[in-house]
Amino acid sequence: MVHATQRTRRSRVVAAVVVASAALAGCTRGPDRDASPLAAANGAVCPEAFADAKAAVVAAEVTAVPWTGPTTGPTAPTGKTVVYIAQIMTNPGVAGVAKGAVEAAHAVGWNLELIDGQGSPSGIQSAFKHALALNPDGVIIGGFDPNVAAAQLQEANAKDIPVVGWHAVDSPGPSRNPKLFTNITTKVEDVARISAQWIIRHSGGTAGVVVFTDASIPFAKHKSQLITAAFQACPGIQLLSTEDIPIPQGSTRTPRHISSLLDRFGDSWTHSVAINDLYFADAAPALRKADKHGAGPPYNIGAGDGDPVAFERIRNRQYEAATVPEPLLQQGWQIIDELNRAIAHQPSSNFVPPVHLTTTANVGDATYWEPDNGYRNRYMTIWGR
């Protein structure tokens, strides 16, 4: 079952998403994604990189993907207790994975306690201490650097409590330092590359780009650095600025940064890429105030995580044209599967989901990136349910 405190927090998160989605639903649709006037350049500045980008974007937009995850594993016992420590539940990616983990824990017959770290080191450390006091069978790190709570992580390791991370370190799979049974994420290199390639393709190889990141999170900082490096394939892509805005401070700082960027770069700013879709929720009011059309420049792409409100912005052409979404709900199920493997003293599945791209062309009525691969039934079969 799910702890009562967790149910309350989930209700607040769902309510916030519903309100935001309802507000966006009344927006007028703009022109199609491919109507960017810059695309007329057709890659003349970097024909090879443009051709590669065009092919990569088409492949990443495919929605029918085969299951490449595990097909065997240990049967799951019932009655286990696991704790999900969220960096902050206002981060939609963190909240989406929590939703998937809650669903999977209920399906397998486990108790899941969710604790919100409130986006600060002290809050995360306090949440981790609370988690350890529950003597859980497993701990989930939801979207924060484990070194923020190094002492608590060491205590969990010493007690042989398995710890699974989501976006906790740069790479997917087991981690030795910090010690994690596994870290769940798509490959950050793939996410960064397809984000940059979407801009190369959408702009025709000529764009002025602003990158939004949170350098306090090593995973996010690394992602933004990889995005910047990927632009080097096309000399027509000019990096105007990298804006470092901590996600918990996004709602207050992003609008100010947007106003400053518009003053500095004007129409030279044609595209943006952010390590998280959340930045564009905060950017929209400032862009609207500056009379920027929701379907026009700067054209924005989120390099993660693909939350319901981001999908709604893309569907309604409101200050976001594309996202590289994580399969958040599927990853929540994967977390429970990985913890079950750890509890059974078996190795990680090492499953890494393929990169995907959601645009106005394929968003449809979706609210999350839900791969059509039957993952729920596959995990239930593995668990003996």
Side-chain angles (χ1 to χ4, degrees), residues 94 172 284:
V94 171

Side-chain angles (χ1 to χ4, degrees), residues 207-231:
V209 183
V210 172
V211 176
F212 294 91
T213 191
D214 182 348
S216 71
I217 304 173
F219 182 90
K221 181 180 179 180
H222 181 52
K223 184 192 293 185
S224 60
Q225 291 170 337
L226 289 171
I227 292 169
T228 300
F231 288 139

Side-chain angles (χ1 to χ4, degrees), residues 1-92:
M1 74 179 188
V2 180
H3 193 275
T5 303
Q6 189 273 334
R7 287 198 299 266
T8 301
R9 291 189 178 112
R10 280 183 65 207
S11 299
R12 292 172 181 168
V13 172
V14 171
V17 170
V18 169
V19 170
S21 298
L24 282 168
C27 298
T28 302
R29 290 176 181 260
D32 187 75
R33 161 185 65 86
D34 293 320
S36 167
L38 299 171
N42 205 32
V45 175
C46 53
E48 185 175 345
F50 179 78
D52 289 344
K54 186 174 182 180
V57 166
V58 170
E61 285 182 317
V62 172
T63 56
V65 295
W67 174 250
T68 56
T71 56
T72 61
T75 300
T78 58
K80 297 296 180 180
T81 295
V82 297
V83 183
Y84 185 104
I85 305 170
Q87 179 234 13
I88 187 168
M89 281 298 288
T90 54
N91 180 330

Side-chain angles (χ1 to χ4, degrees), residues 34-307:
D34 293 320
S36 167
L38 299 171
N42 205 32
V45 175
C46 53
E48 185 175 345
F50 179 78
D52 289 344
K54 186 174 182 180
V57 166
V58 170
E61 285 182 317
V62 172
T63 56
V65 295
W67 174 250
T68 56
T71 56
T72 61
T75 300
T78 58
K80 297 296 180 180
T81 295
V82 297
V83 183
Y84 185 104
I85 305 170
Q87 179 234 13
I88 187 168
M89 281 298 288
T90 54
N91 180 330
V94 171
V97 173
K99 180 178 179 180
V102 166
E103 182 183 281
H106 177 78
V108 79
W110 289 7
N111 305 309
L112 189 148
E113 170 83 12
L114 189 151
I115 308 175
D116 193 338
Q118 302 294 332
S120 69
S122 61
I124 290 169
Q125 291 161 12
S126 176
F128 214 138
K129 289 177 183 177
H130 181 187
L132 294 174
L134 297 174
N135 295 314
D137 298 289
V139 169
I140 304 158
I141 288 179
F144 62 87
D145 178 5
N147 292 314
V148 169
Q152 290 75 34
L153 178 59
Q154 289 174 4
E155 182 179 346
N157 295 158
K159 292 180 176 179
D160 290 325
I161 298 172
V163 180
V164 168
W166 179 81
H167 286 201
V169 294
D170 289 348
S171 302
S175 172
R176 291 185 178 181
N177 186 20
K179 185 180 178 182
L180 303 175
F181 177 74
T182 195
N183 180 56
I184 295 173
T185 176
T186 49
K187 289 183 179 178
V188 67
E189 296 86 355
D190 293 344
V191 173
R193 185 183 307 110
I194 196 64
S195 301
Q197 287 177 318
W198 180 86
I199 289 177
I200 291 170
R201 188 248 181 149
H202 187 268
S203 69
T206 304
V209 183
V210 172
V211 176
F212 294 91
T213 191
D214 182 348
S216 71
I217 304 173
F219 182 90
K221 181 180 179 180
H222 181 52
K223 184 192 293 185
S224 60
Q225 291 170 337
L226 289 171
I227 292 169
T228 300
F231 288 139
Q232 295 176 11
C234 184
I237 305 298
Q238 180 185 4
L239 178 64
L240 301 178
S241 179
T242 297
E243 302 293 306
D244 179 14
I245 305 173
I247 288 174
Q249 300 173 26
S251 61
T252 56
R253 289 182 55 181
T254 301
R256 296 199 302 269
H257 282 244
I258 295 296
S259 297
S260 174
L261 289 164
L262 290 170
D263 288 342
R264 290 163 59 195
F265 301 116
D267 292 340
S268 297
W269 177 19
T270 64
H271 290 76
S272 310
V273 56
I275 55 91
N276 190 299
D277 297 289
L278 193 61
Y279 289 98
F280 300 130
D282 298 324
L287 291 169
R288 190 175 291 111
K289 184 177 180 181
D291 293 326
K292 291 292 182 179
H293 196 282
Y299 301 100
N300 300 319
I301 177 170
D305 298 314
D307 63 90

